[in-house]
Amino acid sequence: MKTRSGIVWLLLALGGIASAEPVKSTSADLDGDGRPEAISVQWADGDAQFTLKVGGATLRGKTNEAEVRGVSIVDLDGADKWKEVAVDMGLTDDDHRSIVYGFDGKALKELGSTHALTEVRGNGIVLSDSWMGFWTRREKYVLDRKAWKLNPVPQEVYFVGAEATVKKTFPIVRSSKDKAVVANLAEGSKIQVLAAMPVSPKGPDYWYLVKSSTGLLGWTRQQNLQDLTEGLPWAG
């Protein structure tokens, strides 16, 4: 279980955002009228809901049993007059979530939910990282200001970029649907894990695209990487 330590926050800051620890109350001009709104989040240990207040607007949201850490102010698009408030919850990478809200001067609107606000550069794009055991999955979200939505950009595969050593030979195959063997990886050889493709949209398991030491590409399941290789930076 990967905790969100001070080191993680520093890495996020170096990755492109100034990551301050979430706070229970603050103030900011969210609707661009020149007057800051009082902003606060209330949550009691064990509650299934939190209460977010911005100016005279109040909204109740679900926690999914995660601890609410506080709120932070983000600017998704520096070209418009708006800023946004994110409710940050979860103490580990497994249960972390950020729900982003906009304020139109009268009401709060949920723009979307991401695993994390890893990079927010003010260009209407959010990059969100989550830890997958030995690699980081990066998701992209794009702000639709007219619809007040933060929309995910689907990816068929995710970049991995890790190197391992084969402990015991195993095959890599042509595709997830075509099990024709491309190569049998030699014991002691170095391989590169290039990309990951979810086995199913809802499941946690992946197919991995592997480059052999002889330059051949093929796919294998996660269990083979766990049991038959060494050197991958596994952390849970």
Side-chain angles (χ1 to χ4, degrees), residues 188-201:
S189 66
K190 300 288 186 181
I191 61 172
Q192 292 179 321
V193 185
L194 302 177
M197 179 174 63
V199 173
S200 67

Side-chain angles (χ1 to χ4, degrees), residues 62-84:
K62 295 182 179 180
T63 66
N64 291 343
E65 300 182 355
E67 178 176 329
V68 175
R69 302 179 67 243
V71 295
S72 56
I73 307 303
V74 294
D75 190 357
L76 299 183
D77 188 350
D80 63 27
K81 68 176 183 178
W82 315 96
K83 289 185 174 62
E84 293 73 35

